[in-house]
Amino acid sequence: MNNDKTEPDALDAYSAIVTSVAAQLTPRVAALTIRSRAGEAAGSAVVLTGESHLITNSHVVSGGDHGTAEFADGTVAGFAVVGRDPLSDIAVIRADREIPAPPDYGDADHLLVGSLVVAVGNPLGLAGTVTAGVVSALGRSMPARTRTAARLIEDVIQTDAALNPGNSGGALADSHGRIVGISTAVAGFGLGLAVPINATTHRIIHALMHDGRVRRAYLGLVTTPAPLNPGQAERFGQRTAMRIVEVVEDSPAARSGLKPADLVLAVDGAPLGSAQSLQKRLFSDAIGQQMEVTVLRNGALVDVIAVPAELSD
């Protein structure tokens, strides 16, 4: 009898969470129509500020600078693109009239595998669609590129909440209705990916709102994660580092003396265990500034001074 009662109670609690999040977010997620010379494209966007800004994916608005945003209450607003950053797949747009108030934004760094998440978007032209699932993996990476540069979008959230074309730019929320990600891609049957909302994303959003673009520093390294052996791990107090696979010719890294096969342990004294932890340091404030790179080369510690340049568009 207890088991029979527990199952409906659990389902009722799950349903209550999903319906509560849906009620909070559906009015705050817009269906976008983007006009360009190639025709019209569709996607989703989430209200970002009380000044009519919304956040969406860069690829959603890559074809044009203007469009319309339609909300669940029937409100239709024109919008213009404020700034877009293909290397994070984030864009900020601004509506030309008053729109619903923004939802609360959380921190994806606090998510756990198995955490309940709710996706709200406009897949296949169906406005206000809500799906629910769990975080199925964290720390995924997804390639992004422009005509001249490529990088990994860091700490991507993988979820089994159903995502379909048109969900891109929509909300991924936690059980409290806080936005923790912006849905960006369908990774395969039953899998979706979302760009996380965290400190790095807020930095990108700030740059887009104030400058219309994100300035990044450039070293010219191709690296891959490499485990340290037990002795090295004990000696340096970390289990992983980044092995240099390639140094781009005539890049800041090449001029500094960094070499393929070097094992990068730290930058400016901070341990480096992933490509993401290096990318987080390569924003505008690093351009032209000396950066101390500590590497393990043929068993010896070597400190190299590199001066990042600005990454061209």
Side-chain angles (χ1 to χ4, degrees):
M1 291 293 293
N2 288 339
N3 288 340
D4 291 343
K5 184 176 186 301
T6 300
E7 185 174 347
D9 285 349
L11 290 174
D12 288 346
Y14 177 85
S15 177
I17 291 171
V18 175
T19 55
S20 172
V21 172
Q24 293 177 61
L25 295 187
T26 300
R28 295 169 168 84
V29 177
L32 298 187
T33 302
I34 302 92
R35 305 184 190 93
S36 68
R37 292 180 181 178
E40 290 190 348
S44 305
V46 187
V47 180
L48 179 64
T49 74
E51 289 75 46
S52 298
H53 294 94
L54 299 97
I55 183 172
T56 185
N57 289 143
S58 176
H59 79 261
V60 168
V61 295
S62 62
D65 295 323
H66 299 84
T68 56
E70 183 173 357
F71 292 86
D73 64 0
T75 297
V76 178
F79 73 80
V81 176
V82 174
R84 53 186 151 226
D85 180 42
L87 293 182
S88 65
D89 202 17
I90 290 293
V92 174
I93 63 177
R94 190 171 190 179
D96 62 5
R97 59 175 295 176
E98 185 176 352
I99 59 175
D104 292 331
Y105 281 76
D107 187 346
D109 291 347
H110 295 156
L111 288 175
L112 300 173
V113 172
S115 295
L116 171 65
V117 285
V118 179
V120 181
N122 304 282
L124 308 174
L126 303 174
T129 299
V130 177
T131 57
V134 299
V135 173
S136 48
L138 291 166
R140 295 288 194 242
S141 58
M142 184 173 67
R145 65 182 65 250
T146 65
R147 289 173 298 178
T148 60
R151 75 190 286 269
L152 293 176
I153 300 174
E154 57 209 29
D155 299 330
V156 170
I157 304 163
Q158 180 180 305
T159 174
D160 66 356
L163 300 179
N164 293 287
N167 263 114
S168 290
L172 187 74
D174 65 13
S175 60
H176 300 284
R178 298 173 299 209
I179 308 299
V180 290
I182 301 299
S183 302
T184 190
V186 179
F189 181 75
L191 294 177
L193 301 176
V195 177
I197 297 295
N198 55 22
T200 301
T201 314
H202 283 296
R203 191 169 183 177
I204 291 167
I205 291 169
H206 182 272
L208 292 176
M209 291 180 63
H210 289 82
D211 303 320
R213 67 187 185 102
V214 179
R215 296 178 65 212
R216 286 188 172 86
Y218 166 71
L219 276 177
L221 291 176
V222 179
T223 61
T224 186
L228 299 178
N229 64 44
Q232 292 170 334
E234 183 176 358
R235 178 183 174 190
F236 302 120
Q238 60 190 86
R239 291 185 295 177
T240 58
M242 298 301 298
R243 186 171 301 282
I244 297 177
V245 176
E246 181 184 350
V247 179
V248 177
E249 186 178 355
D250 199 33
S251 66
R255 291 190 289 272
S256 74
L258 289 168
K259 302 178 183 299
D262 282 350
L263 200 61
V264 183
L265 297 172
V267 173
D268 291 333
L272 195 70
S274 67
Q276 292 92 330
S277 55
L278 176 58
Q279 287 175 175
K280 289 176 182 178
R281 306 183 68 85
L282 295 177
F283 280 94
S284 58
D285 52 1
I287 298 170
Q289 301 298 311
Q290 289 189 348
M291 178 178 285
E292 184 180 69
V293 184
T294 302
V295 303
L296 189 63
R297 179 182 297 166
N298 299 323
L301 279 180
V302 178
D303 286 328
V304 173
I305 301 298
V307 181
E310 182 167 2
L311 179 66
S312 60
D313 292 332

